[in-house]
CSV table of all heavy atoms in Angstrom, one decimal:
chain,number,residue,atom,x,y,z
A,98,MET,N,39.8,29.7,35.3
A,98,MET,CA,39.7,29.3,33.9
A,98,MET,C,38.2,29.2,33.6
A,98,MET,O,37.4,28.7,34.3
A,98,MET,CB,40.3,27.9,33.8
A,98,MET,CG,40.2,27.3,32.4
A,98,MET,SD,41.2,25.8,32.4
A,98,MET,CE,41.6,25.8,30.7
A,99,THR,N,37.8,29.6,32.4
A,99,THR,CA,36.4,29.7,32.0
A,99,THR,C,36.1,28.5,31.0
A,99,THR,O,36.9,28.4,30.0
A,99,THR,CB,36.0,31.0,31.3
A,99,THR,OG1,36.3,32.0,32.2
A,99,THR,CG2,34.6,31.0,30.9
A,100,ASP,N,35.1,27.8,31.2
A,100,ASP,CA,34.7,26.7,30.3
A,100,ASP,C,33.9,27.3,29.2
A,100,ASP,O,32.8,27.8,29.4
A,100,ASP,CB,33.9,25.6,31.1
A,100,ASP,CG,33.6,24.4,30.2
A,100,ASP,OD1,34.0,24.4,29.0
A,100,ASP,OD2,32.9,23.5,30.7
A,101,THR,N,34.3,27.2,28.0
A,101,THR,CA,33.6,27.7,26.8
A,101,THR,C,32.8,26.7,26.0
A,101,THR,O,32.4,27.0,24.9
A,101,THR,CB,34.6,28.5,25.9
A,101,THR,OG1,35.5,27.5,25.4
A,101,THR,CG2,35.2,29.6,26.6
A,102,THR,N,32.7,25.5,26.6
A,102,THR,CA,31.9,24.4,25.9
A,102,THR,C,30.5,24.8,25.9
A,102,THR,O,29.9,25.3,26.9
A,102,THR,CB,32.0,23.1,26.7
A,102,THR,OG1,33.4,22.8,26.8
A,102,THR,CG2,31.3,22.0,26.0
A,103,SER,N,29.9,24.7,24.7
A,103,SER,CA,28.4,25.0,24.6
A,103,SER,C,27.6,23.7,24.4
A,103,SER,O,28.1,22.7,24.0
A,103,SER,CB,28.2,26.0,23.4
A,103,SER,OG,28.6,25.3,22.2
A,104,ALA,N,26.4,23.8,24.8
A,104,ALA,CA,25.5,22.7,24.7
A,104,ALA,C,25.1,22.5,23.3
A,104,ALA,O,25.0,23.4,22.5
A,104,ALA,CB,24.3,22.8,25.6
A,105,ARG,N,24.8,21.2,22.9
A,105,ARG,CA,24.3,20.9,21.6
A,105,ARG,C,23.2,19.9,21.7
A,105,ARG,O,23.4,18.9,22.3
A,105,ARG,CB,25.5,20.4,20.7
A,105,ARG,CG,25.0,20.0,19.3
A,105,ARG,CD,26.2,19.6,18.4
A,105,ARG,NE,26.5,18.2,18.4
A,105,ARG,CZ,25.7,17.3,17.8
A,105,ARG,NH1,24.6,17.6,17.3
A,105,ARG,NH2,26.0,16.0,17.8
A,106,LEU,N,22.1,20.1,21.1
A,106,LEU,CA,21.0,19.2,21.1
A,106,LEU,C,21.3,18.1,20.1
A,106,LEU,O,21.5,18.3,18.9
A,106,LEU,CB,19.7,19.9,20.6
A,106,LEU,CG,18.5,19.0,20.6
A,106,LEU,CD1,18.1,18.4,21.9
A,106,LEU,CD2,17.3,19.7,20.0
A,107,ALA,N,21.4,16.8,20.6
A,107,ALA,CA,21.7,15.7,19.8
A,107,ALA,C,20.5,14.8,19.4
A,107,ALA,O,20.5,14.2,18.3
A,107,ALA,CB,22.8,14.8,20.5
A,108,MET,N,19.5,14.8,20.3
A,108,MET,CA,18.4,13.9,20.0
A,108,MET,C,17.2,14.4,20.8
A,108,MET,O,17.3,14.9,21.9
A,108,MET,CB,18.7,12.5,20.4
A,108,MET,CG,17.5,11.6,20.1
A,108,MET,SD,18.1,9.8,20.4
A,108,MET,CE,16.5,9.0,20.0
A,109,VAL,N,16.0,14.2,20.2
A,109,VAL,CA,14.7,14.5,20.8
A,109,VAL,C,13.9,13.3,20.6
A,109,VAL,O,14.0,12.7,19.6
A,109,VAL,CB,14.2,15.8,20.2
A,109,VAL,CG1,12.9,15.6,19.6
A,109,VAL,CG2,14.2,16.9,21.1
A,110,THR,N,13.0,12.9,21.6
A,110,THR,CA,12.1,11.8,21.4
A,110,THR,C,10.7,12.3,21.5
A,110,THR,O,10.4,13.1,22.5
A,110,THR,CB,12.4,10.7,22.4
A,110,THR,OG1,13.7,10.2,22.2
A,110,THR,CG2,11.4,9.5,22.2
A,111,ILE,N,9.8,11.9,20.6
A,111,ILE,CA,8.5,12.4,20.6
A,111,ILE,C,7.5,11.2,20.8
A,111,ILE,O,7.7,10.1,20.2
A,111,ILE,CB,8.2,13.0,19.2
A,111,ILE,CG1,9.1,14.2,19.0
A,111,ILE,CG2,6.7,13.4,19.0
A,111,ILE,CD1,9.1,14.8,17.6
A,112,ASP,N,6.5,11.3,21.7
A,112,ASP,CA,5.5,10.3,21.9
A,112,ASP,C,4.6,10.3,20.7
A,112,ASP,O,4.3,11.3,20.0
A,112,ASP,CB,4.7,10.6,23.1
A,112,ASP,CG,5.5,10.5,24.4
A,112,ASP,OD1,6.6,9.9,24.4
A,112,ASP,OD2,5.0,10.9,25.4
A,113,CYS,N,4.1,9.1,20.4
A,113,CYS,CA,3.2,8.9,19.2
A,113,CYS,C,2.4,7.6,19.3
A,113,CYS,O,2.7,6.8,20.2
A,113,CYS,CB,3.9,9.0,17.9
A,113,CYS,SG,5.2,7.7,17.7
A,114,LEU,N,1.5,7.4,18.4
A,114,LEU,CA,0.7,6.1,18.4
A,114,LEU,C,1.4,5.0,17.6
A,114,LEU,O,1.3,3.8,17.9
A,114,LEU,CB,-0.6,6.3,17.8
A,114,LEU,CG,-1.6,7.0,18.7
A,114,LEU,CD1,-3.0,7.3,17.9
A,114,LEU,CD2,-1.9,6.2,19.9
A,115,ASP,N,2.2,5.4,16.5
A,115,ASP,CA,2.9,4.4,15.7
A,115,ASP,C,4.2,5.0,15.3
A,115,ASP,O,4.3,5.8,14.4
A,115,ASP,CB,2.0,4.0,14.5
A,115,ASP,CG,2.6,2.8,13.7
A,115,ASP,OD1,3.8,2.7,13.6
A,115,ASP,OD2,1.8,2.0,13.2
A,116,ALA,N,5.3,4.5,15.9
A,116,ALA,CA,6.6,5.1,15.7
A,116,ALA,C,7.1,4.9,14.3
A,116,ALA,O,7.7,5.8,13.7
A,116,ALA,CB,7.6,4.5,16.7
A,117,GLN,N,6.8,3.8,13.7
A,117,GLN,CA,7.3,3.5,12.3
A,117,GLN,C,6.6,4.5,11.3
A,117,GLN,O,7.3,5.0,10.5
A,117,GLN,CB,6.9,2.0,11.9
A,117,GLN,CG,7.5,1.6,10.6
A,117,GLN,CD,7.3,0.1,10.4
A,117,GLN,OE1,6.4,-0.5,11.0
A,117,GLN,NE2,8.1,-0.5,9.6
A,118,VAL,N,5.4,4.7,11.4
A,118,VAL,CA,4.7,5.6,10.5
A,118,VAL,C,5.2,7.0,10.7
A,118,VAL,O,5.5,7.7,9.7
A,118,VAL,CB,3.1,5.6,10.8
A,118,VAL,CG1,2.4,6.8,10.1
A,118,VAL,CG2,2.5,4.3,10.4
A,119,GLU,N,5.4,7.5,11.9
A,119,GLU,CA,6.0,8.8,12.2
A,119,GLU,C,7.4,8.9,11.6
A,119,GLU,O,7.7,10.0,11.0
A,119,GLU,CB,6.0,9.1,13.7
A,119,GLU,CG,4.7,9.3,14.3
A,119,GLU,CD,3.9,10.5,13.9
A,119,GLU,OE1,4.6,11.5,13.5
A,119,GLU,OE2,2.7,10.5,14.0
A,120,ALA,N,8.2,7.9,11.8
A,120,ALA,CA,9.6,8.0,11.3
A,120,ALA,C,9.6,8.2,9.8
A,120,ALA,O,10.4,9.0,9.3
A,120,ALA,CB,10.4,6.7,11.7
A,121,HIS,N,8.8,7.4,9.1
A,121,HIS,CA,8.8,7.5,7.6
A,121,HIS,C,8.3,8.9,7.2
A,121,HIS,O,8.8,9.5,6.2
A,121,HIS,CB,8.1,6.4,7.0
A,121,HIS,CG,8.8,5.1,7.1
A,121,HIS,ND1,9.9,4.8,6.2
A,121,HIS,CD2,8.7,4.0,7.9
A,121,HIS,CE1,10.4,3.6,6.6
A,121,HIS,NE2,9.7,3.1,7.6
A,122,PHE,N,7.3,9.4,7.8
A,122,PHE,CA,6.8,10.7,7.5
A,122,PHE,C,7.8,11.8,7.7
A,122,PHE,O,8.1,12.6,6.8
A,122,PHE,CB,5.5,11.0,8.4
A,122,PHE,CG,5.1,12.4,8.2
A,122,PHE,CD1,4.3,12.8,7.2
A,122,PHE,CD2,5.4,13.4,9.2
A,122,PHE,CE1,3.8,14.1,7.0
A,122,PHE,CE2,5.0,14.7,9.0
A,122,PHE,CZ,4.2,15.1,7.9
A,123,TRP,N,8.4,11.8,8.9
A,123,TRP,CA,9.4,12.9,9.2
A,123,TRP,C,10.7,12.8,8.3
A,123,TRP,O,11.3,13.8,8.0
A,123,TRP,CB,9.7,12.9,10.7
A,123,TRP,CG,8.5,13.6,11.4
A,123,TRP,CD1,7.5,12.9,12.1
A,123,TRP,CD2,8.2,14.9,11.4
A,123,TRP,NE1,6.6,13.8,12.5
A,123,TRP,CE2,7.0,15.0,12.2
A,123,TRP,CE3,8.7,16.1,10.9
A,123,TRP,CZ2,6.4,16.3,12.4
A,123,TRP,CZ3,8.1,17.3,11.1
A,123,TRP,CH2,7.0,17.4,11.9
A,124,ALA,N,11.1,11.5,8.1
A,124,ALA,CA,12.3,11.4,7.2
A,124,ALA,C,12.0,11.9,5.8
A,124,ALA,O,12.9,12.6,5.3
A,124,ALA,CB,12.7,9.9,7.1
A,125,ALA,N,10.9,11.7,5.3
A,125,ALA,CA,10.5,12.2,4.0
A,125,ALA,C,10.4,13.7,4.0
A,125,ALA,O,10.9,14.4,3.1
A,125,ALA,CB,9.2,11.6,3.5
A,126,LEU,N,9.8,14.3,5.0
A,126,LEU,CA,9.6,15.7,5.2
A,126,LEU,C,10.9,16.5,5.3
A,126,LEU,O,11.1,17.5,4.7
A,126,LEU,CB,8.7,16.0,6.3
A,126,LEU,CG,8.4,17.5,6.6
A,126,LEU,CD1,7.4,18.0,5.5
A,126,LEU,CD2,7.7,17.7,7.9
A,127,LEU,N,11.8,15.9,6.1
A,127,LEU,CA,13.1,16.6,6.4
A,127,LEU,C,14.2,16.2,5.5
A,127,LEU,O,15.3,16.7,5.6
A,127,LEU,CB,13.5,16.3,7.9
A,127,LEU,CG,12.5,16.8,9.0
A,127,LEU,CD1,12.9,16.2,10.3
A,127,LEU,CD2,12.4,18.3,8.9
A,128,GLY,N,14.0,15.2,4.6
A,128,GLY,CA,15.1,14.7,3.7
A,128,GLY,C,16.1,13.9,4.5
A,128,GLY,O,17.3,13.9,4.2
A,129,GLY,N,15.6,13.3,5.6
A,129,GLY,CA,16.5,12.5,6.5
A,129,GLY,C,16.4,11.0,6.1
A,129,GLY,O,15.9,10.6,5.1
A,130,GLU,N,17.0,10.2,7.0
A,130,GLU,CA,17.1,8.8,6.8
A,130,GLU,C,16.6,8.1,8.0
A,130,GLU,O,16.9,8.4,9.2
A,130,GLU,CB,18.6,8.4,6.6
A,130,GLU,CG,18.8,7.0,6.3
A,130,GLU,CD,20.3,6.7,6.0
A,130,GLU,OE1,20.9,7.5,5.4
A,130,GLU,OE2,20.7,5.6,6.4
A,131,VAL,N,15.7,7.1,7.8
A,131,VAL,CA,15.2,6.2,8.9
A,131,VAL,C,16.4,5.3,9.4
A,131,VAL,O,16.9,4.5,8.6
A,131,VAL,CB,14.0,5.4,8.5
A,131,VAL,CG1,13.5,4.5,9.6
A,131,VAL,CG2,12.9,6.3,8.1
A,132,GLN,N,16.8,5.4,10.6
A,132,GLN,CA,17.8,4.6,11.1
A,132,GLN,C,17.3,3.3,11.7
A,132,GLN,O,18.0,2.3,11.7
A,132,GLN,CB,18.6,5.4,12.2
A,132,GLN,CG,19.2,6.7,11.8
A,132,GLN,CD,20.3,6.4,10.8
A,132,GLN,OE1,21.1,5.5,10.9
A,132,GLN,NE2,20.4,7.2,9.7
A,133,HIS,N,16.1,3.4,12.3
A,133,HIS,CA,15.5,2.2,12.9
A,133,HIS,C,14.0,2.4,12.8
A,133,HIS,O,13.5,3.5,13.1
A,133,HIS,CB,15.9,2.0,14.3
A,133,HIS,CG,15.3,0.9,15.1
A,133,HIS,ND1,15.7,-0.4,15.0
A,133,HIS,CD2,14.2,0.9,15.9
A,133,HIS,CE1,15.0,-1.2,15.7
A,133,HIS,NE2,14.0,-0.4,16.2
A,134,ALA,N,13.2,1.4,12.5
A,134,ALA,CA,11.8,1.6,12.5
A,134,ALA,C,11.0,0.3,12.9
A,134,ALA,O,11.2,-0.7,12.2
A,134,ALA,CB,11.3,2.1,11.1
A,135,GLU,N,10.3,0.4,13.9
A,135,GLU,CA,9.3,-0.6,14.3
A,135,GLU,C,8.1,0.1,14.9
A,135,GLU,O,8.2,1.3,15.2
A,135,GLU,CB,9.9,-1.8,15.1
A,135,GLU,CG,10.6,-1.3,16.3
A,135,GLU,CD,11.3,-2.4,17.1
A,135,GLU,OE1,12.3,-2.9,16.6
A,135,GLU,OE2,10.8,-2.8,18.1
A,136,ARG,N,7.1,-0.6,15.2
A,136,ARG,CA,5.9,0.0,15.7
A,136,ARG,C,6.1,0.8,17.1
A,136,ARG,O,5.6,1.9,17.3
A,136,ARG,CB,4.8,-1.0,15.9
A,136,ARG,CG,3.5,-0.4,16.4
A,136,ARG,CD,2.4,-1.4,16.4
A,136,ARG,NE,1.1,-0.8,16.9
A,136,ARG,CZ,0.4,-1.3,17.9
A,136,ARG,NH1,0.8,-2.4,18.5
A,136,ARG,NH2,-0.7,-0.7,18.3
A,137,ASP,N,6.9,0.2,17.9
A,137,ASP,CA,7.1,0.8,19.3
A,137,ASP,C,8.2,1.8,19.4
A,137,ASP,O,8.1,2.7,20.2
A,137,ASP,CB,7.4,-0.3,20.3
A,137,ASP,CG,6.2,-1.2,20.6
A,137,ASP,OD1,5.0,-0.7,20.4
A,137,ASP,OD2,6.3,-2.3,20.9
A,138,TYR,N,9.2,1.8,18.5
A,138,TYR,CA,10.3,2.7,18.6
A,138,TYR,C,10.9,2.9,17.2
A,138,TYR,O,11.1,1.9,16.5
A,138,TYR,CB,11.4,2.4,19.6
A,138,TYR,CG,12.3,3.5,19.7
A,138,TYR,CD1,12.0,4.6,20.5
A,138,TYR,CD2,13.6,3.4,19.1
A,138,TYR,CE1,12.9,5.6,20.6
A,138,TYR,CE2,14.5,4.5,19.2
A,138,TYR,CZ,14.1,5.6,20.0
A,138,TYR,OH,15.0,6.6,20.1
A,139,ALA,N,11.2,4.1,16.8
A,139,ALA,CA,11.9,4.4,15.6
A,139,ALA,C,12.8,5.6,15.7
A,139,ALA,O,12.6,6.4,16.7
A,139,ALA,CB,10.9,4.7,14.5
A,140,MET,N,13.8,5.7,14.8
A,140,MET,CA,14.7,6.9,14.9
A,140,MET,C,15.0,7.4,13.4
A,140,MET,O,15.1,6.6,12.5
A,140,MET,CB,16.1,6.5,15.4
A,140,MET,CG,16.1,6.3,16.9
A,140,MET,SD,17.7,5.7,17.6
A,140,MET,CE,18.8,6.7,16.8
A,141,VAL,N,15.1,8.7,13.3
A,141,VAL,CA,15.4,9.4,12.1
A,141,VAL,C,16.6,10.3,12.3
A,141,VAL,O,16.6,11.0,13.3
A,141,VAL,CB,14.2,10.2,11.6
A,141,VAL,CG1,14.5,11.1,10.4
A,141,VAL,CG2,13.0,9.3,11.2
A,142,SER,N,17.5,10.3,11.3
A,142,SER,CA,18.6,11.3,11.4
A,142,SER,C,18.4,12.2,10.2
A,142,SER,O,18.2,11.8,9.1
A,142,SER,CB,20.0,10.6,11.2
A,142,SER,OG,20.2,9.8,12.4
A,143,ALA,N,18.5,13.5,10.6
A,143,ALA,CA,18.3,14.6,9.5
A,143,ALA,C,19.0,15.8,10.0
A,143,ALA,O,18.9,16.2,11.1
A,143,ALA,CB,16.8,14.9,9.3
A,144,THR,N,19.8,16.4,9.1
A,144,THR,CA,20.5,17.7,9.3
A,144,THR,C,21.2,17.7,10.7
A,144,THR,O,21.1,18.7,11.4
A,144,THR,CB,19.5,18.9,9.2
A,144,THR,OG1,18.5,18.8,10.2
A,144,THR,CG2,18.9,18.9,7.9
A,145,GLY,N,21.9,16.7,11.1
A,145,GLY,CA,22.7,16.6,12.3
A,145,GLY,C,21.9,16.4,13.6
A,145,GLY,O,22.5,16.4,14.6
A,146,VAL,N,20.7,16.2,13.5
A,146,VAL,CA,19.8,15.9,14.7
A,146,VAL,C,19.2,14.5,14.5
A,146,VAL,O,18.8,14.2,13.4
A,146,VAL,CB,18.8,17.0,14.9
A,146,VAL,CG1,17.9,16.6,16.0
A,146,VAL,CG2,19.4,18.3,15.1
A,147,THR,N,19.1,13.8,15.6
A,147,THR,CA,18.3,12.5,15.6
A,147,THR,C,17.0,12.7,16.3
A,147,THR,O,17.0,13.3,17.4
A,147,THR,CB,19.2,11.4,16.3
A,147,THR,OG1,20.4,11.3,15.6
A,147,THR,CG2,18.4,10.1,16.2
A,148,ILE,N,15.9,12.2,15.7
A,148,ILE,CA,14.6,12.3,16.3
A,148,ILE,C,14.2,10.9,16.5
A,148,ILE,O,14.2,10.1,15.7
A,148,ILE,CB,13.6,13.0,15.3
A,148,ILE,CG1,14.1,14.4,14.9
A,148,ILE,CG2,12.2,13.1,16.0
A,148,ILE,CD1,13.3,15.0,13.8
A,149,GLY,N,13.8,10.6,17.8
A,149,GLY,CA,13.3,9.4,18.2
A,149,GLY,C,11.7,9.4,18.3
A,149,GLY,O,11.2,10.5,18.6
A,150,PHE,N,11.1,8.3,18.0
A,150,PHE,CA,9.6,8.3,18.2
A,150,PHE,C,9.3,7.1,19.0
A,150,PHE,O,9.7,5.9,18.7
A,150,PHE,CB,9.0,8.1,16.8
A,150,PHE,CG,9.3,9.3,15.9
A,150,PHE,CD1,10.3,9.2,15.0
A,150,PHE,CD2,8.5,10.4,16.0
A,150,PHE,CE1,10.6,10.3,14.2
A,150,PHE,CE2,8.8,11.5,15.1
A,150,PHE,CZ,9.9,11.4,14.3
A,151,GLY,N,8.6,7.3,20.1
A,151,GLY,CA,8.3,6.2,21.0
A,151,GLY,C,6.7,6.0,21.1
A,151,GLY,O,6.0,7.0,21.4
A,152,ARG,N,6.3,4.8,20.9
A,152,ARG,CA,4.9,4.5,21.0
A,152,ARG,C,4.4,4.6,22.4
A,152,ARG,O,5.0,4.0,23.3
A,152,ARG,CB,4.6,3.1,20.4
A,152,ARG,CG,3.1,2.8,20.4
A,152,ARG,CD,3.0,1.4,19.8
A,152,ARG,NE,1.6,0.9,19.8
A,152,ARG,CZ,1.1,0.3,20.9
A,152,ARG,NH1,1.8,0.0,21.9
A,152,ARG,NH2,-0.2,-0.1,20.8
A,153,THR,N,3.3,5.4,22.6
A,153,THR,CA,2.7,5.6,23.9
A,153,THR,C,1.3,5.1,23.8
A,153,THR,O,0.5,5.7,23.0
A,153,THR,CB,2.8,7.0,24.4
A,153,THR,OG1,4.2,7.4,24.3
A,153,THR,CG2,2.3,7.2,25.7
A,154,GLU,N,0.9,4.1,24.5
A,154,GLU,CA,-0.4,3.5,24.4
A,154,GLU,C,-1.5,4.5,24.6
A,154,GLU,O,-2.5,4.5,23.9
A,154,GLU,CB,-0.6,2.4,25.5
A,154,GLU,CG,-1.8,1.5,25.3
A,154,GLU,CD,-1.7,0.6,24.1
A,154,GLU,OE1,-0.6,0.1,23.8
A,154,GLU,OE2,-2.7,0.4,23.5
A,155,ASP,N,-1.4,5.5,25.5
A,155,ASP,CA,-2.5,6.4,25.8
A,155,ASP,C,-2.2,7.8,25.2
A,155,ASP,O,-2.8,8.8,25.6
A,155,ASP,CB,-2.7,6.6,27.3
A,155,ASP,CG,-1.4,7.0,28.0
A,155,ASP,OD1,-0.3,7.1,27.4
A,155,ASP,OD2,-1.5,7.3,29.2
A,156,PHE,N,-1.5,7.8,24.1
A,156,PHE,CA,-1.2,9.1,23.4
A,156,PHE,C,-2.4,9.7,22.9
A,156,PHE,O,-3.3,9.1,22.3
A,156,PHE,CB,-0.2,8.8,22.3
A,156,PHE,CG,0.1,10.1,21.5
A,156,PHE,CD1,1.0,11.0,21.9
A,156,PHE,CD2,-0.5,10.3,20.2
A,156,PHE,CE1,1.2,12.2,21.2
A,156,PHE,CE2,-0.2,11.4,19.5
A,156,PHE,CZ,0.6,12.4,20.0
A,157,VAL,N,-2.5,11.0,23.1
A,157,VAL,CA,-3.6,11.8,22.5
A,157,VAL,C,-3.0,13.0,21.8
A,157,VAL,O,-2.3,13.8,22.3
A,157,VAL,CB,-4.5,12.4,23.7
A,157,VAL,CG1,-5.6,13.3,23.1
A,157,VAL,CG2,-5.2,11.2,24.5
A,158,ALA,N,-3.3,13.0,20.5
A,158,ALA,CA,-2.7,14.1,19.6
A,158,ALA,C,-3.2,15.5,20.1
A,158,ALA,O,-4.3,15.6,20.5
A,158,ALA,CB,-3.1,13.9,18.2
A,159,PRO,N,-2.3,16.5,20.1
A,159,PRO,CA,-2.7,17.8,20.5
A,159,PRO,C,-3.7,18.4,19.5
A,159,PRO,O,-3.7,18.1,18.3
A,159,PRO,CB,-1.4,18.6,20.6
A,159,PRO,CG,-0.5,17.8,19.7
A,159,PRO,CD,-0.9,16.4,19.7
A,160,ALA,N,-4.6,19.2,20.0
A,160,ALA,CA,-5.5,19.9,19.2
A,160,ALA,C,-5.1,21.4,19.0
A,160,ALA,O,-4.7,22.0,20.0
A,160,ALA,CB,-6.9,19.9,19.8
A,161,TRP,N,-5.1,21.9,17.8
A,161,TRP,CA,-4.6,23.3,17.6
A,161,TRP,C,-5.7,24.0,16.9
A,161,TRP,O,-6.2,23.6,15.9
A,161,TRP,CB,-3.4,23.3,16.7
A,161,TRP,CG,-2.3,22.5,17.3
A,161,TRP,CD1,-1.8,21.3,16.9
A,161,TRP,CD2,-1.4,22.9,18.4
A,161,TRP,NE1,-0.8,20.9,17.7
A,161,TRP,CE2,-0.5,21.9,18.6
A,161,TRP,CE3,-1.3,24.0,19.1
A,161,TRP,CZ2,0.5,21.9,19.6
A,161,TRP,CZ3,-0.4,24.1,20.1
A,161,TRP,CH2,0.5,23.0,20.3
A,162,PRO,N,-6.1,25.2,17.4
A,162,PRO,CA,-5.7,25.7,18.7
A,162,PRO,C,-6.4,25.0,19.8
A,162,PRO,O,-7.4,24.4,19.7
A,162,PRO,CB,-6.1,27.2,18.6
A,162,PRO,CG,-7.3,27.2,17.7
A,162,PRO,CD,-7.1,26.0,16.7
A,163,ASP,N,-5.7,25.1,21.0
A,163,ASP,CA,-6.2,24.4,22.2
A,163,ASP,C,-7.5,25.2,22.6
A,163,ASP,O,-7.4,26.4,22.8
A,163,ASP,CB,-5.2,24.5,23.3
A,163,ASP,CG,-5.7,23.8,24.5
A,163,ASP,OD1,-6.9,23.7,24.8
A,163,ASP,OD2,-4.8,23.3,25.3
A,164,ARG,N,-8.6,24.6,22.8
A,164,ARG,CA,-9.9,25.2,23.1
A,164,ARG,C,-9.8,25.9,24.5
A,164,ARG,O,-10.6,26.8,24.7
A,164,ARG,CB,-11.0,24.2,23.1
A,164,ARG,CG,-11.3,23.8,21.7
A,164,ARG,CD,-12.4,22.8,21.7
A,164,ARG,NE,-12.6,22.3,20.3
A,164,ARG,CZ,-13.4,21.4,19.9
A,164,ARG,NH1,-14.2,20.8,20.8
A,164,ARG,NH2,-13.5,20.9,18.7
A,165,ASP,N,-8.9,25.4,25.4
A,165,ASP,CA,-8.8,26.0,26.7
A,165,ASP,C,-7.8,27.1,26.7
A,165,ASP,O,-7.6,27.7,27.8
A,165,ASP,CB,-8.4,24.9,27.7
A,165,ASP,CG,-9.5,23.8,27.9
A,165,ASP,OD1,-10.6,24.1,27.7
A,165,ASP,OD2,-9.1,22.7,28.1
A,166,GLY,N,-7.2,27.5,25.6
A,166,GLY,CA,-6.3,28.6,25.6
A,166,GLY,C,-4.9,28.3,26.1
A,166,GLY,O,-4.1,29.2,26.4
A,167,ARG,N,-4.5,27.0,26.2
A,167,ARG,CA,-3.2,26.6,26.7
A,167,ARG,C,-2.2,26.6,25.6
A,167,ARG,O,-2.5,26.3,24.5
A,167,ARG,CB,-3.2,25.3,27.4
A,167,ARG,CG,-3.9,25.3,28.7
A,167,ARG,CD,-4.0,24.0,29.3
A,167,ARG,NE,-5.2,23.3,28.6
A,167,ARG,CZ,-5.5,22.1,28.7
A,167,ARG,NH1,-4.8,21.3,29.4
A,167,ARG,NH2,-6.5,21.6,28.1
């Protein structure tokens, strides 16, 4: 018997400096809804996917393009 169940991405969590700020930004951009928002953790639901934002004390925003070519 072959299992035909496929995987589905339900949630992704992104590190950031202020989860509440990120949640409100992405909810507005994606037309989603903020499900929970505080400085340390927030969640947004949009188009069937939930995005979590977790505050990370030592977070460093990526630079584009990366000067080292990574």
Side-chain angles (χ1 to χ4, degrees):
M98 180 175 209
T99 303
D100 184 4
T101 59
T102 305
S103 60
R105 181 176 92 68
L106 178 63
M108 182 173 177
V109 123
T110 300
I111 300 171
D112 291 347
C113 61
L114 285 177
D115 189 323
Q117 187 172 22
V118 169
E119 292 290 336
H121 287 283
F122 171 81
W123 286 100
L126 182 71
L127 299 172
E130 184 176 323
V131 176
Q132 300 294 321
H133 177 83
E135 54 186 72
R136 183 175 179 233
D137 290 334
Y138 188 76
M140 284 176 49
V141 169
S142 290
T144 62
V146 175
T147 301
I148 305 169
F150 300 94
R152 182 175 175 275
T153 303
E154 191 71 37
D155 58 352
F156 177 77
V157 176
W161 301 103
D163 184 334
R164 292 180 185 178
D165 296 330
R167 291 176 277 170

